[in-house]
Amino acid sequence: MHQRVHWIDIAKGLGIILVCFGHIRNGSGESVWLPALNPAINAVYLFHMPLFFFLGGFTFSSKRPFTDFLKVKAKTLLIPYYVFSLYFLAKPIAVLLSPSLSSELRTNQSYASNIGEQFYNILINGSGLWFLWAYFVGEVIAYPLSKKLFTPWKLASCGFALIAASVAFSSCLPLLKLPFCIVMGVEVAGYILLGMACRSSFMTIKRVPSLAWCFIMLAGFLILAFAITQIGPRGWRIACSTVAAFPGVAFAVFLSITIQKNRMLEHIGRHSLSFYVVNAFTLNIGKIVFFKMLHIDGEHASPFLQWVYAIILVAFCLALLWLEDLLIRALIPWSVGVKRKKKIQLETDTI
């Protein structure tokens, strides 16, 4: 068994925290609870999922025969998708049974009128916990390419080409419908190949130069994130958003290398799969507790106070996720690809 790399787990842990922060929005992508955080959440969405894709290239291996590779990936990605994506059908079913819930959910989606489309999106289109289906498709695409591309520049060139192709297809050909997980899977494969191309370079970088690169990448990312808000034409915004992901991902990676060791972040990173699959559900619980039960008026609070609320909310939800992770691995470990043992086993997820 290969020894785990601490900073990779830290980077995954940071990614999960960013996922929690992003889920402060409701399911329609509206910042109704803490509106002052909307620009920051927009910035996070530029790179937090590509970070996981890129890190996948550091741990990707095509040594297994393809059939064995598919079995392992189905076990660790597709089974969790279908087990935990059922949650996303709860809203349309609940609204169908009780239409008055629509206003309570603070969403503009007409769940009751398009329930068939909701079922298609979750069960066929792969847009529930979309990351898992897209990641599966991405790894399947990366498998044969990794056997043909042996040099970093070939891997990087192919990776950039796949990302550009996915973005161009989804933005320039919106009328040509393909399953969401297929289009996103091409982009995932691109980031995986980029991760493979950069693997040897990042594994040897030291802490001091990593800190310097961290500030450089952060500055580049912030400049691009600000530029996106000032650009009018849609095509240029999409292009700028795609480019901004790269310094954003690099910043998170360099920051993780600089941190080197952190038990809490490493734990979250090691169990990132179970922290991810119940993330949206847990953040909804947190928002109900904060904004409904405790009657916290975040919408009209000052920007500073909204940030305070967000930090407390994310910390509260991370604590819940920690407990849920223990329950998942103790009661239904098969749902995240872990074999049941007498003692709770650390999961070896693929995200």
Side-chain angles (χ1 to χ4, degrees), residues 107-280:
T107 177
N108 58 12
Q109 289 191 42
S110 180
Y111 285 110
S113 64
N114 62 354
I115 191 167
E117 182 181 349
Q118 295 289 321
F119 271 81
Y120 169 80
N121 285 335
I122 301 301
L123 302 177
I124 306 299
N125 201 32
S127 57
L129 291 168
W130 66 268
F131 172 88
L132 299 178
W133 242 115
Y135 202 97
F136 175 81
V137 173
E139 293 211 303
V140 170
I141 294 172
Y143 182 94
L145 293 175
S146 67
K147 291 182 173 295
K148 299 293 184 181
L149 306 172
F150 299 108
T151 61
W153 74 267
K154 288 183 179 179
L155 288 166
S157 299
C158 187
F160 283 123
L162 289 174
I163 293 169
S166 175
V167 173
F169 183 91
S170 58
S171 58
C172 299
L173 299 171
L175 297 179
L176 185 56
K177 296 293 184 181
L178 284 178
F180 179 75
C181 58
I182 301 295
V183 178
M184 284 303 303
V186 174
E187 183 175 335
V188 173
Y191 279 105
I192 290 174
L193 294 181
L194 287 180
M196 295 175 66
C198 298
R199 183 160 48 192
S200 59
S201 299
F202 277 99
M203 289 298 186
T204 57
I205 194 168
K206 302 299 182 183
R207 193 173 190 177
V208 173
S210 177
L211 179 60
W213 278 110
C214 181
F215 284 111
I216 293 171
M217 290 298 124
L218 176 59
F221 172 74
L222 291 176
I223 291 171
L224 288 169
F226 176 76
I228 291 168
T229 64
Q230 307 301 310
I231 295 174
R234 179 174 176 270
W236 284 107
R237 281 202 313 274
I238 293 172
C240 195
S241 298
T242 303
V243 174
F246 300 121
V249 168
F251 159 70
V253 170
F254 284 124
L255 176 61
S256 303
I257 296 173
T258 302
I259 294 172
Q260 288 193 346
K261 288 188 178 182
N262 182 287
R263 285 190 176 183
M264 184 190 75
L265 290 175
E266 288 177 49
H267 177 89
I268 296 173
R270 284 196 303 270
H271 304 293
S272 56
L273 179 56
S274 49
F275 272 72
Y276 171 74
V277 294
V278 290
N279 200 281

Side-chain angles (χ1 to χ4, degrees), residues 20-43:
C20 290
F21 180 71
H23 279 155
I24 289 176
R25 284 177 172 172
N26 68 8
S28 305
E30 299 166 318
S31 299
V32 296
W33 308 111
L34 301 171
L37 272 59
N38 196 51
I41 294 176
N42 285 339

Side-chain angles (χ1 to χ4, degrees), residues 45-73:
Y45 267 82
L46 292 173
F47 75 95
H48 74 323
M49 298 315 287
L51 171 63
F52 286 104
F53 308 151
F54 180 74
L55 293 171
F58 286 78
T59 57
F60 183 83
S61 174
S62 56
K63 292 180 179 179
R64 293 188 184 95
F66 187 62
T67 53
D68 293 341
F69 178 85
L70 282 179
K71 289 177 183 177
V72 170
K73 298 307 173 183

